[in-house]
């Protein structure tokens, strides 16, 4: 089965890893959120693409839950000794990727080209596509004023209540080469259990992507990020409450609207009304869990195809 998955970072990468190891999948393309991308200390940082590259090449740090494993922190120690910003941690191994990417982009390569090159060098078989090679920046309007994504997520630890989310540059961004084709040519399209408002909405805001999801003959299945009415990690359920929504699958299905055809949700939560759905245990801890959840989502896709 030819599968395309739309994903953010850590939560989404678990499903993508499961798909990579699923016997049902013959080819896999991951279209990745770049709304979290930012420049820091002159470096081009793409947190969700990095998470995919690390996770699929076995370099992710399982204990920390983000970034690259076996970290040493000489760079951060030197930076802090000079009074440099300490709020965004960059391990020495992470820094290698960021410096290399920044140099390649400065030479004129696109983010797609740089990402494909990293994936090839690290032996990753699935295709990893940024949603766009054009800059898109997620901003949050909060009770503490407007915050750029990383300032909200990392510096402020998601504390300020969110009133609205917007994606600067999205209206003018073009889907990266291959994105629309991957959605139209797939046998099944999955939306990973990434944060719908922060990780999936930027993808849907790039003109052409939501239309391709509605147009494709492939069933589009969302995997819910809720387990027992709460996000497994991160601010999804907190944000839903701040936006005046119930933290349930009905609200997530209503948010996605006509772009999805079905939802895989955790057995501890109610199914969304009026939408084909399948219940399963969706907590992905081990690799076997990830493959099982991937297979459950593809089984659901098969029933709505
Ligand atoms: P980020 O970009 O690194 O913040 O991560 P994502 O947006 O891709 O993922 C965050 C979402 O993944 C949260 O809403 C979590 O509830 C969800 N998530 C994380 N782990 C799991 C899991 O094991 N199962 C399910 N169903 N959702 C998960």
């Amino acid at each position: 089965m030819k599968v395309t998955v739309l994903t953010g970072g850590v939560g989404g990468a678990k499903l993508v890893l499961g798909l990579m190891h699923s016997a049902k999948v013959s080819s896999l393309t991951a279209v990745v959120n770049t709304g979290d991308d930012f420049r820091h200390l002159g470096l081009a940082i793409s947190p969700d693409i990095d998470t995919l590259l690390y996770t699929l090449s076995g370099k992710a740090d399982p204990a920390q839950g983000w970034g690259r494993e076996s970290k040493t922190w000489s760079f951060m120690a030197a930076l802090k000794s000079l009074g440099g910003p300490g709020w965004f941690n960059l391990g020495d191994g992470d820094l290698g990727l960021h410096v290399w990417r920044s140099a390649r982009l400065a030479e004129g390569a696109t983010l797609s080209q740089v990402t494909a090159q990293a994936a090839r060098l690290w032996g990753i078989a699935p295709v990893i596509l940024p949603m766009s090679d054009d800059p898109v920046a997620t901003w949050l309007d909060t009770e503490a004023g407007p915050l750029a994504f990383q300032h909200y997520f990392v510096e402020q630890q998601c504390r300020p209540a969110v009133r609205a989310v917007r994606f600067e540059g999205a209206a003018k961004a073009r889907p990266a080469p291959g994105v629309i084709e991957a959605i139209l040519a797939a046998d099944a399209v999955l939306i990973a259990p990434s944060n719908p408002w922060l990780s999936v909405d930027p993808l849907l805001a790039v003109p052409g992507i939501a239309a391709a999801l509605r147009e494709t003959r492939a069933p589009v299945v969302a995997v819910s990020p809720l387990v027992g009415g709460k996000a497994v990690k991160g601010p999804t359920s907190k944000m839903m409450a701040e936006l005046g929504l119930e933290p349930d699958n009905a609200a997530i299905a209503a948010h996605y609207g006509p772009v999805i055809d079905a939802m895989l949700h955790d057995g501890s939560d109610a199914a969304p009304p009026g939408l084909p759905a399948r219940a399963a245990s969706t907590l992905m801890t081990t690799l076997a869990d990830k493959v099982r959840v991937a297979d459950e989502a593809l089984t659901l896709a098969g029933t709505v195809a």
Side-chain angles (χ1 to χ4, degrees):
M1 209 176 191
K2 228 192 238 183
V3 178
T4 294
V5 54
L6 273 53
T7 182
V10 176
K14 293 182 186 179
L15 182 74
V16 182
L17 187 65
L19 289 165
M20 187 175 97
H21 288 281
S22 165
K24 296 185 179 209
V25 178
S26 58
S27 78
L28 178 61
T29 300
V31 182
V32 187
N33 169 40
T34 58
D36 302 5
D37 291 19
F38 74 128
R39 286 237 159 219
H40 185 57
L41 299 162
L43 301 173
I45 301 181
S46 297
D48 289 354
I49 287 178
D50 297 345
T51 297
L52 264 285
L53 288 170
Y54 294 150
T55 303
L56 301 189
S57 66
K59 294 178 177 54
D61 188 322
Q64 189 171 251
W66 56 270
R68 187 175 172 154
E69 40 64 277
S70 309
K71 281 188 170 176
T72 53
W73 297 94
S74 308
F75 166 76
M76 284 308 292
L79 179 68
K80 287 182 195 166
S81 76
L82 293 164
W87 64 272
F88 194 82
N89 279 313
L90 290 168
D92 295 345
D94 284 320
L95 197 62
L97 174 58
H98 302 320
V99 169
W100 172 79
R101 174 169 43 221
S102 306
R104 294 281 296 112
L105 292 172
E107 287 164 10
T110 63
L111 184 60
S112 302
Q113 290 166 339
V114 176
T115 304
Q117 196 178 1
R120 190 169 62 247
L121 291 166
W122 286 354
I124 297 170
V127 175
I128 304 177
L129 300 176
M131 66 189 196
S132 178
D133 285 330
D134 301 320
V136 176
T138 297
W139 279 82
L140 295 103
D141 292 322
T142 76
E143 61 181 5
L147 289 170
F149 179 82
Q150 296 298 341
H151 288 275
Y152 165 77
F153 200 77
V154 178
E155 193 176 30
Q156 305 273 336
Q157 303 276 302
C158 310
R159 276 184 300 263
V162 175
R163 307 233 158 93
V165 187
R166 56 200 157 84
F167 310 108
E168 266 187 25
K172 280 201 238 142
R174 291 153 301 174
V179 168
I180 299 299
E181 294 80 349
I183 293 170
L184 296 179
D187 299 315
V189 177
L190 303 185
I191 297 183
S194 294
N195 185 318
W197 285 266
L198 293 180
S199 295
V200 181
D201 276 1
L203 282 142
L204 302 179
V206 174
I209 294 186
L213 291 169
R214 286 191 299 265
E215 219 175 277
T216 183
R217 289 170 58 195
V220 179
V221 173
V223 179
S224 172
L226 300 177
V227 175
K230 280 202 193 110
V232 176
K233 198 169 161 271
T236 306
S237 32
K238 174 180 176 284
M239 271 185 61
M240 290 178 82
E242 291 163 0
L243 294 171
L245 300 166
E246 292 296 324
D248 59 23
N249 289 320
I252 292 174
H255 180 70
Y256 285 141
V259 303
I260 63 169
D261 300 311
M263 178 183 279
L264 181 75
H265 66 91
D266 195 75
S268 62
D269 296 312
L275 186 74
R278 182 178 172 91
S281 170
T282 67
L283 191 63
M284 295 178 280
T285 310
T286 63
L287 177 60
D289 293 334
K290 293 166 192 166
V291 175
R292 185 179 44 73
V293 173
D295 285 346
E296 290 279 2
L298 295 176
T299 299
L300 175 57
T303 66
V304 294

